[in-house]
Amino acid sequence: DHINKRGNPIARKLVYFAVGNMIRQQHHAPCHIVDYYYRLKEKRPYPKLNKVAMVACMDKTLKCLLAIVKHHDRYRYRYQGLRPLVED
């Protein structure tokens, strides 16, 4: 996927603000989205720019929310790599 402007601009803005708030409030609750953001920012030899990392986190957030809704589950911090983001 490439960064593009398809879809609802209001929904994009809301998800962008949600990810930004997750990053700002990281000391209150652990979140694998924030861990992923900092992993992208520190990736060697070329770290990602802020906006590129934010869009990648937006994508991961939407996929996580979709998995939670599909499985009727609650969010849990334990991140399992490529496996589903929710525990069964």
Side-chain angles (χ1 to χ4, degrees):
D1 284 340
H2 298 282
I3 296 176
N4 57 42
K5 293 184 178 178
R6 290 185 299 190
N8 188 339
I10 297 170
R12 257 196 329 272
K13 184 186 276 190
L14 289 174
V15 176
Y16 185 83
F17 286 140
V19 170
N21 285 333
M22 281 186 232
I23 293 168
R24 277 192 294 279
Q25 299 296 324
Q26 63 186 320
H27 59 278
H28 289 294
C31 178
H32 75 275
I33 303 293
V34 175
D35 297 341
Y36 181 64
Y37 173 81
Y38 284 112
R39 200 166 58 233
L40 288 174
K41 295 284 286 177
E42 297 172 0
K43 198 177 245 185
R44 305 263 192 252
Y46 303 107
K48 301 286 185 189
L49 299 174
N50 181 51
K51 192 174 277 189
V52 174
M54 287 284 284
V55 171
C57 290
M58 289 168 56
D59 183 52
K60 190 176 254 329
T61 301
L62 291 174
K63 288 178 181 177
C64 178
L65 290 173
L66 181 64
I68 288 171
V69 170
K70 275 186 173 181
H71 297 293
H72 305 289
D73 203 358
R74 294 174 35 184
Y75 174 77
R76 292 186 179 85
Y77 175 68
R78 198 175 98 191
Y79 179 67
Q80 300 174 354
L82 298 175
R83 299 171 80 189
L85 299 177
V86 294
E87 293 178 2
D88 292 314

